[in-house]
Amino acid sequence: MSRQIPPATPEINRLRAAAALIPIIEQGLEASRFSVERAALMASFCEWTAHRPYDDPEAIRLAERVRHGLQRIKLPLAAR
């Protein structure tokens, strides 16, 4: 059986984009492709998206995923 994809809403789309951005930021910092300022701007978008209140279970799951990713990113950002 195929998995049902929830309908796209602006909130879900922002959360999906933020969740996809987390590994990009991590890899960019690791390979020194991003400046700290650029990575911080990207992380601020992710933070803004994750800290909004959500009712949808899919949105809540994505927001948690983004929050956990932000915790991983904050250490390398603080060290630079």
Side-chain angles (χ1 to χ4, degrees):
M1 267 169 85
S2 64
R3 182 174 165 233
Q4 290 282 0
I5 297 175
T9 63
E11 293 82 18
I12 293 287
N13 287 340
R14 279 192 293 267
L15 283 166
R16 286 177 181 158
L21 196 55
I22 296 291
I24 294 170
I25 297 169
E26 288 175 322
Q27 292 169 2
L29 286 171
E30 187 178 304
S32 298
R33 286 189 311 239
F34 293 155
S35 67
V36 174
E37 293 82 18
R38 183 173 182 178
L41 280 173
M42 296 163 85
S44 68
F45 167 75
C46 297
E47 191 170 6
W48 171 75
T49 341
H51 286 307
R52 301 180 62 150
Y54 295 105
D55 296 330
D56 180 27
E58 177 71 8
I60 292 169
R61 184 187 65 76
L62 283 168
E64 279 301 311
R65 189 167 142 198
V66 171
R67 284 187 202 107
H68 290 296
L70 284 169
Q71 289 175 351
R72 291 191 314 268
I73 290 172
K74 288 192 182 203
L75 289 174
L77 280 177
R80 293 177 187 234

